[in-house]
Amino acid sequence: MSRAQFYVRDKDFKDDADFTVGIVAYEWIQQRRREIGFRHMIIDKVIWDEQHDITELVRQIKPIDPPDDLPF
């Protein structure tokens, strides 16, 4: 179990608070995964402001791969 505090941009937070916090939480989880050597990690619960459960949203976030348009 881990706990952390994050800062998000006001403009993004006002547009879609859950998604903005979800992105920051996902990035933090990926950082933790790198620190522990990419071991299997289960995302059990992600809550912000002790009220908003965004666990499913964070589980669904996937990185966007750049287009593979190289000629070889």
Side-chain angles (χ1 to χ4, degrees):
M1 184 171 151
S2 297
R3 177 176 270 202
Q5 292 182 354
F6 306 108
Y7 298 97
V8 297
R9 290 179 29 179
D10 288 339
K11 180 184 179 295
D12 296 337
F13 186 80
K14 288 177 184 176
D15 290 343
D16 188 354
D18 284 345
F19 185 72
T20 302
V21 174
I23 293 292
V24 174
Y26 176 81
E27 291 171 351
W28 183 80
I29 291 168
Q30 294 306 311
Q31 177 185 356
R32 296 283 301 155
R33 190 172 279 162
R34 284 189 296 273
E35 290 172 0
I36 64 169
F38 291 97
R39 292 189 185 120
H40 181 68
M41 185 182 289
I42 297 172
I43 301 172
D44 187 43
K45 188 180 280 190
V46 181
I47 298 176
W48 69 273
D49 197 23
E50 299 181 10
Q51 301 173 30
H52 303 93
D53 186 356
I54 56 170
T55 306
E56 285 304 316
L57 183 118
V58 173
R59 287 180 182 161
Q60 294 175 0
I61 295 174
K62 303 288 184 216
I64 299 172
D65 293 329
D68 187 14
D69 57 357
L70 298 175
F72 47 90

